[in-house]
Amino acid sequence: MPEILVQYQAEIWTAIIETFVMVGVSIVAAVLIGLPVGTLLFLCRKGKILENPFVFSVLNLLVNTIRSFPFLLLVVFLIPFTRLIIGTAIGTAVATVPLSIIAIAHYSRLVEQSLLDVPKGVMEAAISMGASVKDIIFKFLFVEARSGLVLGLTTSIISFISYSTIMGVVGGGGIGDFAIRYGYQQFKTDLMIYMIVIMVILVQLIQFTGTTVSRIIDKR
Amino acid sequence: MIHLHKVSKSFSHFQVIKSASLTIDKGEIYGIIGASGAGKSTLLRLMNLLETPDEGQVEVNGQDLTKLNSKKLRQARQSIGMIFQHFNLVANKTVYDNVAIPLELAKVPRQERRNRVVECLQFVGLESLLDKFPAELSGGQKQRVAIARALANHPQVLLCDEPTSSLDPNTTAEILGVLENVNKSLGVTIVIVSHEMEVIKSICNRVTVMANGEIYDTVSIEPEGIKQLSKRPNWFIEQLIKDGEKSHA
C-alpha cells in the first residue's frame, strides 16, 4: 500500500465511516419518508385514485423548492432548524439533517416517475377486483414498479454520496471533506486522487448492484 | 341481474352516455356492439362503477352500486369479474400469484386459496403454467389467466371489454369457447362488449346496439356457435379463393 495511505490510515477510515453514516441515514430517510411522499404525489395526481389538487400542489411545490436550492445554500439555510433538532450545529449527526431532507425530495420525485410507468390498465384491473387503496399500493403499484424503484434509489444513493462530500462546511466530515482538507489544502495531490479513486469504486459498486437487482426482479 | 336505469356519463362536457337503460337477466350472454366512440365500453364500465355515472342507478345482484359506501362497493366488485382487451395482468407476478390476488383481497385463508387457484387454472386449461410470468405467455394464454383471475371469487357476473380484439381468429375462437363454458357450466352471467360482429353473433343470446351514446336497439338472437377455424395452410388458400378464380402468382 502507498506510504501516504498507511500514514493517514486512521483518518481515512474515520472519513469512510462518516460518509457511510451520512449516506446511510439519507437512504433510510429516502425509503421511510421519500417513498410514501412519492407515492402520495402519484396518487393525488389528476385522474388517480386519491385525486387531490391541494395535497398534490403542496407536495409538488415543496419537493421542487427543496430541489431548486443549490445544496450548499440549503445546508447553511437549514442550520437554525438543525440546531433545533440536533442541539448543535457541528458534526456528522448535524450533516444528516440537510442530507435527509434533500434525500426525501430527490427520491420522492423518482418514485413518482416510476409509478407513472405502471400501465393504467393494471390499476383498472385492481379497482375492478375491489382492491382497497392499501392493496392497490402494495399488491399492484409497488410490485409492477419495483425495478424502477430500485433503479431510482440507486441513482439517489449516488447523488447522496456526491452531496455528502460538501458536508465539511458543518463539520460533517466524510471522504470528500478529507480529500479537500488534506489533499487539496495541504497540497497532497496524491492523497486527493486516492480519495477520488475510492469514491469511483464506491459508485461503480452501487450502480452495478442496483442495475443487477433491478434486472433480476423485472419480469415484465 | 344487472339493471341500468337512465344512466348518463360525460367526460369534460362531452356526453358519452345519454340516459341509457337496460336490463340483463341472470344466465345470459349479453352483447353490446356499435361503432367506435358509440359509448359501448363506457356503458360496460358503468356496470362495476369503474366509471361513476353522473345520473341514474346501476343495480347489480340486487344492490344499487351508486348508493354503496366505498367499502361495500369494493365487496360488491369482488363478485363482479372483469376482463380487458389488453389482459391487464400484473407482469411481475406469476400466473399463480395473479389468480391468487382476488382471493387475497377477499381474505380467503392461504390453504383454501391454493386449491381455488389450481381449480380456476384447470378450468381454463393452464394448470401446467402456474410458475410462468405473463411475458412468457401467448395472448390467448394471457386472456385465459385473466379469466381464471376474474373467476377466482365465484363471481355472478363477468364483464368482458373487447376480450378478443387483440387476438388472432383461432385464439378468439378458443377464448369464446372458454367464455361459453364459464356461462354454461358455472352459470355466470356474461356481458361482452365488442366491435367484432362475428364474436357477438357466435355466443350472445341478446345484443344491444349502441350509437352516439344511446341505446339504438336491443335484439334477441340465436347464437350461431363458435366457428372453428383450421390451422391447415390449405384452409387459408381455400378461404382466399373461395369466391374467385385460383391464380397462382
Side-chain angles (χ1 to χ4, degrees):
Chain A
M1 205 191 300
E3 200 188 316
I4 194 154
L5 288 186
V6 178
Q7 188 190 338
Y8 285 101
Q9 215 180 51
E11 287 91 337
I12 291 173
W13 278 115
T14 311
I16 290 176
I17 289 166
E18 283 163 350
T19 293
F20 272 80
V21 168
M22 290 189 286
V23 174
V25 172
S26 309
I27 295 172
V28 171
V31 173
L32 289 188
I33 307 176
L35 182 61
V37 169
T39 308
L40 203 57
L41 262 173
F42 169 80
L43 293 175
C44 290
R45 270 174 172 258
K46 188 170 162 49
K48 303 295 180 211
I49 49 174
L50 294 182
E51 180 173 339
N52 188 325
F54 177 75
V55 175
F56 177 79
S57 314
V58 170
L59 287 179
N60 195 41
L61 185 71
L62 206 62
V63 168
N64 279 346
T65 310
I66 294 170
R67 295 199 356 123
S68 48
F69 266 89
F71 186 56
L72 189 58
L73 279 181
L74 182 73
V75 175
V76 179
F77 177 79
L78 283 174
I79 286 176
F81 173 71
T82 308
R83 195 193 297 274
L84 197 73
I85 53 173
I86 304 281
T88 162
I90 289 290
T92 306
V94 167
T96 60
V97 174
L99 274 172
S100 297
I101 288 172
I102 192 75
I104 292 164
H106 197 272
Y107 190 50
S108 62
R109 195 54 99 192
L110 296 183
V111 167
E112 182 197 18
Q113 275 168 25
S114 301
L115 297 182
L116 282 169
D117 284 340
V118 175
K120 216 177 143 218
V122 172
M123 297 288 279
E124 278 185 353
I127 296 168
S128 79
M129 277 182 241
S132 61
V133 174
K134 187 181 135 221
D135 289 328
I136 290 176
I137 294 171
F138 290 102
K139 292 193 193 330
F140 294 86
L141 271 179
F142 285 178
V143 175
E144 279 309 65
R146 63 190 185 191
S147 63
L149 293 174
V150 168
L151 278 182
L153 188 62
T154 310
T155 306
S156 287
I157 293 172
I158 290 168
S159 299
F160 304 162
I161 293 178
S162 172
Y163 288 134
S164 78
T165 56
I166 65 149
M167 292 324 290
V169 288
V170 289
I175 306 172
D177 181 46
F178 178 82
I180 294 280
R181 282 195 293 130
Y182 291 80
Y184 178 66
Q185 289 166 354
Q186 297 185 18
F187 307 106
K188 298 191 175 72
T189 308
D190 50 347
L191 196 54
M192 186 169 82
I193 290 170
Y194 286 128
M195 292 306 106
I196 292 171
V197 169
I198 292 179
M199 303 282 264
V200 169
I201 293 171
L202 197 60
V203 169
Q204 296 290 342
L205 278 177
I206 291 167
Q207 188 63 57
F208 175 78
T209 311
T211 311
T212 309
V213 170
S214 95
R215 199 181 56 233
I216 292 171
I217 61 177
D218 190 3
K219 307 293 183 188
R220 291 172 295 170
Chain B
M1 188 88 242
I2 300 177
H3 182 62
L4 299 182
H5 184 69
K6 290 185 178 163
V7 288
S8 298
K9 178 72 185 175
S10 300
F11 293 121
S12 53
H13 306 297
F14 179 72
Q15 203 169 18
V16 190
I17 303 289
K18 300 165 189 162
S19 190
S21 298
L22 65 80
T23 302
I24 298 171
D25 300 324
K26 191 169 169 48
E28 280 195 291
I29 300 186
Y30 195 100
I32 301 173
I33 195 165
S36 289
K40 49 193 194 302
S41 262
T42 309
L43 194 71
L44 184 82
R45 293 157 59 88
L46 283 162
M47 294 178 191
N48 61 357
L49 250 56
L50 217 45
E51 306 290 353
T52 17
D54 302 328
E55 286 166 46
Q57 282 95 48
V58 177
E59 196 188 300
V60 180
N61 287 332
Q63 277 180 307
D64 184 349
L65 300 186
T66 55
K67 298 226 163 48
L68 300 178
N69 62 26
S70 65
K71 189 171 178 212
K72 283 267 159 53
L73 175 61
R74 275 190 270 121
Q75 278 168 357
R77 278 175 174 153
Q78 289 176 358
S79 35
I80 308 173
M82 188 168 191
I83 60 170
F84 305 84
Q85 178 176 0
H86 299 293
F87 327 121
N88 297 349
L89 299 173
V90 180
N92 277 335
K93 284 187 190 268
T94 60
V95 166
Y96 179 93
D97 288 333
N98 265 286
V99 180
I101 301 171
L103 300 169
E104 289 170 27
L105 298 180
K107 309 218 160 34
V108 173
R110 187 174 291 267
Q111 207 53 47
E112 282 171 50
R113 238 188 269 162
R114 170 139 211 115
N115 296 335
R116 183 61 187 155
V117 171
V118 174
E119 202 172 80
C120 289
L121 285 171
Q122 275 168 347
F123 187 85
V124 298
L126 289 184
E127 68 275 22
S128 57
L129 300 180
L130 44 84
D131 289 327
K132 299 274 186 219
F133 285 92
E136 302 169 278
L137 306 179
S138 69
Q141 289 171 331
K142 284 181 199 167
Q143 196 60 294
R144 282 165 184 257
V145 175
I147 294 172
R149 180 174 74 172
L151 293 178
N153 272 333
H154 303 278
Q156 306 282 310
V157 179
L158 180 59
L159 307 177
C160 311
D161 191 0
E162 300 277 4
T164 60
S165 299
S166 47
L167 302 175
D168 66 63
N170 278 306
T171 321
T172 294
E174 220 179 272
I175 293 300
L176 291 177
V178 176
L179 291 177
E180 197 171 45
N181 194 19
V182 168
N183 176 261
K184 296 280 174 306
S185 57
L186 306 176
V188 174
T189 308
I190 294 183
V191 188
I192 300 182
V193 163
S194 183
H195 65 273
E196 296 169 301
M197 190 50 96
E198 285 288 306
V199 166
I200 297 290
K201 277 166 87 175
S202 61
I203 63 170
C204 297
N205 64 306
R206 223 144 54 96
V207 183
T208 282
V209 177
M210 290 202 67
N212 300 318
E214 291 177 61
I215 290 177
Y216 181 79
D217 201 359
T218 299
V219 292
S220 291
I221 60 168
E222 189 59 43
E224 280 181 355
I226 302 156
K227 288 208 182 65
Q228 290 305 330
L229 302 177
S230 171
K231 287 179 183 164
R232 285 183 299 118
N234 220 33
W235 176 86
F236 288 97
I237 302 289
E238 286 159 19
Q239 296 301 306
L240 286 166
I241 59 175
K242 200 160 50 179
D243 307 314
E245 287 289 302
K246 185 172 188 169
S247 74
H248 283 285

